[in-house]
Amino acid sequence: MENLKLRLLSNFVIVFLLLAFGWWSILLYTKNKDAFIAKSNYLQIVMAAKGKVANSAEFEKTVEFQELEDSYKRQEWMILGEALFFIISLVIGIYIINRGYNREMIAAQERRNFLLSITHELKSPISSIRLVLETFLKRDLEKNQINQLSGTALEETERLTTLVEDLLLAAKMENHYQPVLESVDVVYLIEGLVEKLRTKFPNVDFSFTHNGLIPNIMADKTGITSITINLLENAVKYSPAPAVIDIQASRNGQLLELEFADQGFGVTEKEKKKIFRKFYRTGSEDTRSTKGTGLGLYIVKEIVEAHQGTITIEDNQPRGSIFKIKLPLVMKNKQIS
Ligand code: ADP
């Protein structure tokens, strides 16, 4: 509400400035014209009294009148030019201020959403772990019940760990994340991660293909792990069950190309530009019903760029998305740690 009032007030001041300046310009323009007419009338009377001119036609041909008219025209152009310059600068200024303001508002909204979702994401696993522990304390349970509850608590602990890791990674990104480079067998790494995810999501159909000619790359192992996990968990999260996910790795010259394709809800053209922003979550119903913080893709993009790579998103056929990553096999001007 306070923001709206401020906005209205600033718009009012801007409109007032524009109108006032427009009014002053018109006034100056007409006054200049009046002054010119008065001056030329006076000059004509003086010249007629001295017998230099007999009528207006003769007067308008004199050097004195031409000089007066030239000076009037110059002033007229000056007034018009200044008015135009002022109005254009004002309009550009207003546009820039408004754009900055809108961006700031969107960022604030995204931060608020983030705080809301993070509170929920932190609270819900903590509550369920607490519930499990309280049940252990209060009741004598059978072995299979203990196993089941411990399984739930472990799952929730893992959720918390992932969330904290994401938060720490995002904080690291703010302070110029520097990948710790080592020789990484990406195919082997992804195969291992896919195996783990197959256990975690037994109903998801994961397939991983590669052309077998992929050399090790110089990369940050933790970073590549985070990219893979984030993209694959998103593919599961944003697909109707049973999810079908294809991962491909190939070498193209000095680049390693990775593709993560799903057949999920997909991302609209408009959202494609935004989903890599920090805290951004799409506004669709499908997304709102899922858990998340809007940090995953931001982290992925930062890690890819820290490896001098690129990430793009395309539509999959007949539906879903493909996230495409290109990483150089060896980064330019980078020392191996
Ligand atoms: P989170 O998943 O925590 O919301 P992300 O940064 O990982 O945050 O993703 C940002 C948004 O991008 C998500 O809210 C979702 O709407 C959209 N998104 C990400 N991956 C996919 C995908 N594979 N399919 C459809 N939408 C996706």
Side-chain angles (χ1 to χ4, degrees):
M1 200 59 204
E2 203 51 36
N3 270 333
L4 191 73
K5 273 190 202 157
L6 263 178
R7 196 142 206 219
L8 278 175
L9 184 71
S10 64
N11 282 347
F12 174 76
V13 172
I14 288 162
V15 171
F16 176 77
L17 266 177
L18 275 172
L19 286 177
F21 193 79
W23 166 245
W24 280 107
S25 304
I26 292 167
L27 202 68
L28 204 62
Y29 186 83
T30 48
K31 290 284 172 218
N32 187 41
K33 196 170 183 179
D34 291 346
F36 166 68
I37 293 168
K39 270 188 200 164
S40 74
N41 283 347
Y42 173 73
L43 191 63
Q44 190 178 351
I45 293 167
V46 172
M47 289 180 88
K50 287 184 184 165
K52 288 186 182 166
V53 292
N55 52 34
S56 293
E58 270 181 34
F59 171 66
E60 279 167 20
K61 281 185 196 130
T62 62
V63 181
E64 286 87 344
F65 174 78
Q66 295 295 337
E67 278 173 1
L68 196 64
E69 194 181 42
D70 283 350
S71 142
Y72 161 68
K73 286 262 158 61
R74 267 199 308 277
Q75 274 170 350
E76 201 175 53
W77 278 114
M78 216 172 77
I79 294 166
L80 281 175
E82 276 179 15
L84 212 67
F85 177 75
F86 183 82
I87 287 169
I88 290 174
S89 330
L90 202 65
V91 169
I92 292 175
I94 293 165
Y95 170 73
I96 292 172
I97 290 171
N98 256 323
R99 199 181 51 178
Y101 175 84
N102 286 339
R103 279 190 187 159
E104 203 40 54
M105 289 301 289
I106 292 169
Q109 181 64 41
E110 281 170 13
R111 274 197 295 273
R112 264 199 300 280
N113 289 347
F114 167 71
L115 270 181
L116 282 178
S117 54
I118 198 93
T119 316
H120 174 261
E121 294 281 284
L122 282 172
K123 268 183 161 175
S124 81
I126 291 175
S127 325
S128 44
I129 294 168
R130 175 189 227 150
L131 197 72
V132 169
L133 293 176
E134 280 171 356
T135 319
F136 283 165
L137 272 181
K138 281 186 203 148
R139 288 174 51 191
D140 274 338
L141 299 169
E142 303 275 318
K143 180 96 175 91
N144 66 334
Q145 286 175 308
I146 293 178
N147 282 350
Q148 202 184 346
L149 285 175
S150 306
T152 315
L154 270 175
E155 258 174 38
E156 294 299 325
T157 315
E158 199 173 309
R159 222 174 104 189
L160 264 182
T161 313
T162 316
L163 180 68
V164 172
E165 270 168 7
D166 268 2
L167 286 173
L168 289 177
L169 256 175
K172 229 181 188 179
M173 304 291 158
E174 300 261 307
N175 299 319
H176 291 292
Y177 158 75
Q178 283 291 328
V180 181
L181 299 184
E182 59 181 305
S183 174
V184 181
D185 182 343
V186 178
V187 171
Y188 179 74
L189 185 71
I190 295 180
E191 264 166 1
L193 295 171
V194 168
E195 255 340 288
K196 275 192 191 156
L197 290 174
R198 279 198 180 112
T199 322
K200 189 171 173 187
F201 305 107
N203 297 327
V204 176
D205 175 4
F206 288 102
S207 71
F208 178 35
T209 49
H210 53 89
N211 60 11
L213 301 165
I214 297 165
N216 283 16
I217 67 164
M218 292 312 299
D220 182 332
K221 205 170 176 179
T222 329
I224 303 294
T225 305
S226 178
I227 292 174
T228 312
I229 298 279
N230 264 304
L231 291 179
L232 292 181
E233 292 206 335
N234 271 354
V236 176
K237 202 156 67 162
Y238 302 112
S239 292
V244 179
I245 295 161
D246 290 311
I247 308 132
Q248 278 186 31
S250 56
R251 180 184 177 171
N252 184 359
Q254 284 310 300
L255 291 176
L256 167 69
E257 297 188 347
L258 298 173
E259 290 190 12
F260 298 82
D262 62 60
Q263 297 183 15
F265 308 126
V267 178
T268 62
E269 279 312 309
K270 214 171 133 205
E271 303 275 20
K272 280 191 181 109
K273 291 187 204 110
K274 301 182 185 166
I275 52 172
F276 296 100
R277 286 207 314 239
K278 192 157 52 161
F279 308 142
Y280 188 82
R281 305 200 74 212
T282 56
S284 73
E285 276 305 315
D286 299 323
T287 301
R288 262 188 251 122
S289 56
T290 57
K291 292 167 189 146
T293 53
L295 280 176
L297 287 182
Y298 162 74
I299 291 173
V300 168
K301 186 161 189 269
E302 292 290 314
I303 298 175
V304 168
E305 285 178 356
H307 282 83
Q308 298 171 357
T310 55
I311 178 162
T312 48
I313 170 173
E314 287 172 23
D315 290 333
N316 197 6
Q317 293 307 329
R319 62 202 165 90
S321 319
I322 312 177
F323 286 85
K324 292 190 175 179
I325 292 178
K326 290 183 184 170
L327 295 172
L329 298 181
V330 181
M331 286 160 67
K332 281 185 206 124
N333 309 321
K334 281 279 173 185
Q335 292 298 319
I336 300 161
S337 325

